[in-house]
Amino acid sequence: MLGHYPPKHCSRPFGNCNSGNSHREPYVAAHNMIMSHAAAVDNYKRNYQATQGGSIGIVIAMKWYEPLTNSTEDILAARQALSFEVDWFLDPLFFGDYPREMREMLSSNLPKFTSEEKRLLQNKADFIGVNHYTAIYAKDCVSSPCDLKSYEGNALVQAVGERDGVAIGRPTAFHGYYDVPEGMELIVKYVSQRYENTPVYVTENGYSQSSDNSTEDLINDVGRVNYLQGYLTCISSAVR
């Protein structure tokens, strides 16, 4: 969408590329990815699962979004951001179609599933993998102007790390990623509740640390210890 990676297709306001359509092409690419997943699941369940006894699932990278303010607009923005990040890929696999919020906002730019594609989508994933590192504030961009040159811009949302000058959590070395352990509990509960208590695995999580630090700082990595302790505590709370 932003044109940062091959094939470097994008369009304004998301990016300035020689060719491409940021309003349509990302959704076609994602549609093909979803259907490739569905075909693999169908093949595995029909031909291999009974004899191998394995399970097959999908991993989604996901932030947790908190409204920047208590306004109705920002509350809806946080919901839209989740819809365009989590529900975009998981709703078709569990409910047979894209989320309502995406369909309403994107109209004909969002592909439709054929009857054959919907048949493949009936094979639900055995588990959901969660790649989660950070929470972020969501600011509405429908009622007020925003910089849409970010991942969340496709949902007409701007991701904001601070509220009234206070960061959402302790910053890490990776720009835009903060230590917000409560986000882990909230995102795991969200996924579990929305997708029929399908087993959830945390498949990625970790603490970004600057390579410019001294050897002593890297060894005595209190920030990493605190981060992991906080996130493990919150995943434990989610399990309970």
Side-chain angles (χ1 to χ4, degrees), residues 58-65 81-82 85-87 89-90 128-135 151 177 183-184 186-188 190-191 195 200-201 203-204:
I58 190 168
V59 173
I60 307 293
M62 52 185 81
K63 299 172 186 162
W64 176 257
Y65 293 91
L82 274 175
E85 184 154 327
V86 180
D87 308 356
F89 290 89
L90 292 180
I128 297 168
V130 170
N131 289 1
H132 175 76
Y133 295 88
T134 191
Y151 176 79
Y177 278 44
M184 175 65 85
L186 292 168
I187 199 71
V188 166
Y190 175 83
V191 170
Y195 300 108
V200 174
Y201 297 100
T203 40
E204 276 190 29

Side-chain angles (χ1 to χ4, degrees), residues 132-133 172 177 204-208 224 227-228:
H132 175 76
Y133 295 88
T172 70
Y177 278 44
E204 276 190 29
N205 173 254
Y207 178 77
S208 303
R224 184 188 310 277
Y227 178 99
L228 292 174

Side-chain angles (χ1 to χ4, degrees), residues 1-5 9-17 21-27 84 88 148-155:
M1 184 185 73
L2 303 176
H4 291 170
Y5 304 109
H9 282 200
C10 70
S11 61
R12 295 183 184 276
F14 303 105
N16 185 18
C17 302
N21 184 342
S22 295
H23 299 280
R24 181 176 179 276
E25 289 181 339
Y27 308 105
F84 273 70
W88 178 3
L148 296 179
K149 295 178 182 178
S150 69
Y151 176 79
E152 290 82 7
N154 62 340

Side-chain angles (χ1 to χ4, degrees), residues 109-161:
N109 285 326
L110 190 64
K112 293 184 177 180
F113 292 102
T114 66
S115 56
E116 174 60 20
E117 288 174 336
K118 286 189 174 184
R119 185 193 69 79
L120 283 176
L121 290 172
Q122 291 177 357
N123 289 304
K124 293 179 172 57
D126 297 324
F127 67 86
I128 297 168
V130 170
N131 289 1
H132 175 76
Y133 295 88
T134 191
I136 201 83
Y137 291 123
K139 177 182 181 294
D140 168 63
C141 293
V142 176
S143 59
S144 59
C146 294
D147 178 9
L148 296 179
K149 295 178 182 178
S150 69
Y151 176 79
E152 290 82 7
N154 62 340
L156 296 181
V157 172
Q158 184 173 10
V160 181

